[in-house]
Amino acid sequence: MLKKHCKYETQIENGVLTVTLRGEIDHHSAVSVRTEIDSLIYELRPQKTVLDLSEIDFMDSSGLGLIMGRYALMQRIDGELTLKNPNERIVKIFELAGLGRIVKIEEDAEEIGAEDAEENTEKESKK
Amino acid sequence: MKNAENKRRKSPSGNLNELKIKMPSLSVNEGLARSVVAAFCAQLDPSATEIADIKCAVSEAVTNCIVHAYKDRIGTIYINIRLCEERVVRVEIKDKGCGIEDVKTARQPLFTTDAANERSGMGFTVMESFCDAVRVRSKLGGGTTVTLFKAFEGR
């Protein structure tokens, strides 16, 4: 079994697909993650997809391609894409590309104020 | 006494310290390459930001070799890491792939020849932002050499 550089978990709740990414996003890991997230989006047709980046240790411009690709896909199905807790390195890469204000960003602090309905959650997990 | 000191610090080519890597253009090697460069730079007691910068820049250059230079085949990537001044690391990433037709255009932000595969066109911009200097030499059909210079102030 080869080591996976980027692992993720998915969760769907009230039409919101949350993908929690862990590890390193580069060209190598983006290719497989991309295919798997897309098939989930096509299957579940969420109104909103949240990419949780709080546990990303490394991301290069391939990650930017991954995020913008999912952003475009969500737009195509009339949904939206949000990034959760991107670190300052990730934000910097977005700013270099002039895309700082295109994708919505949510931080954990805002989340606490919202509903914390962790129950009734269908959990899908992939390793 | 001084000679002995130099012997300890200098490689046969007269540089302070040096490491050469030769690897096939497999995408799994993107992570390996940036980790090796980061490990080499550790001797300068770098800050977390400096390490993150050089890792990202190396990742971009190596990815370019894999997705552009050796687009339809597996070729060899040559990486030469040198401590060229007291606190400056020079990383040369070389391929013998297809070469770049117009380097100036290729270095423009968001320019890509491969949008279909979600290449963001930000590789060279990232390298330029995260390093102190970036030199690109390329010949159509002859390959490309990208040289990154990064000064380390340390922690």
Side-chain angles (χ1 to χ4, degrees), chain A residues 4 6 10 14 16 18 22 24 26 29 39 41 44 46 55 64 67 72-73 75 79 81 83 99-100 102 104 110 119:
Chain A
K4 278 217 172 180
C6 182
T10 59
N14 303 328
V16 179
T18 303
R22 292 198 171 86
E24 310 197 332
D26 59 9
S29 61
S39 56
I41 293 178
L44 302 167
E55 290 181 55
L64 189 65
I67 293 165
L73 175 59
Q75 287 222 309
L81 182 96
L83 302 183
L99 296 170
I102 293 205
K104 277 192 206 161
E110 284 177 27
E119 311 115 46

Side-chain angles (χ1 to χ4, degrees), chain B residues 2-138:
Chain B
K2 205 174 178 196
N3 266 348
E5 182 74 12
N6 283 344
K7 250 183 207 169
R8 274 203 299 273
R9 303 192 61 185
K10 289 192 175 180
S11 73
S13 55
N15 294 293
L16 289 170
N17 200 357
E18 174 171 46
L19 178 64
K20 288 181 181 178
I21 313 167
K22 193 174 141 186
M23 48 171 56
S25 60
L26 302 169
S27 65
V28 69
N29 284 334
E30 293 157 8
L32 181 58
R34 62 178 180 262
S35 300
V36 172
V37 173
F40 181 92
C41 295
Q43 65 193 296
L44 297 173
D45 198 20
S47 68
T49 306
E50 288 169 340
I51 281 294
D53 286 349
I54 194 75
K55 280 179 85 173
C56 202
V58 168
S59 197
E60 300 294 349
V62 172
T63 302
N64 279 350
C65 298
I66 294 166
V67 302
H68 299 295
Y70 299 122
K71 197 175 181 172
D72 306 310
R73 62 189 168 109
I74 301 296
T76 305
I77 302 171
Y78 305 84
I79 304 177
N80 189 345
I81 318 164
R82 279 182 197 174
L83 185 57
C84 59
E85 290 167 39
E86 280 293 331
R87 302 198 61 85
V88 178
V89 173
R90 193 188 100 154
V91 186
E92 190 185 82
I93 295 132
K94 182 175 145 188
D95 65 70
K96 293 181 179 173
C98 65
I100 302 168
E101 198 176 328
D102 179 354
V103 172
K104 205 179 162 195
T105 306
R107 290 178 77 147
Q108 294 299 310
L110 303 172
F111 174 85
T112 182
T113 53
D114 194 15
N117 284 313
E118 298 188 348
R119 308 306 321 153
S120 66
M122 289 301 292
F124 279 121
T125 308
V126 166
M127 289 182 234
E128 285 164 4
S129 311
F130 293 166
C131 294
D132 294 288
V134 179
R135 195 171 68 200
V136 184
R137 286 189 181 148
S138 193

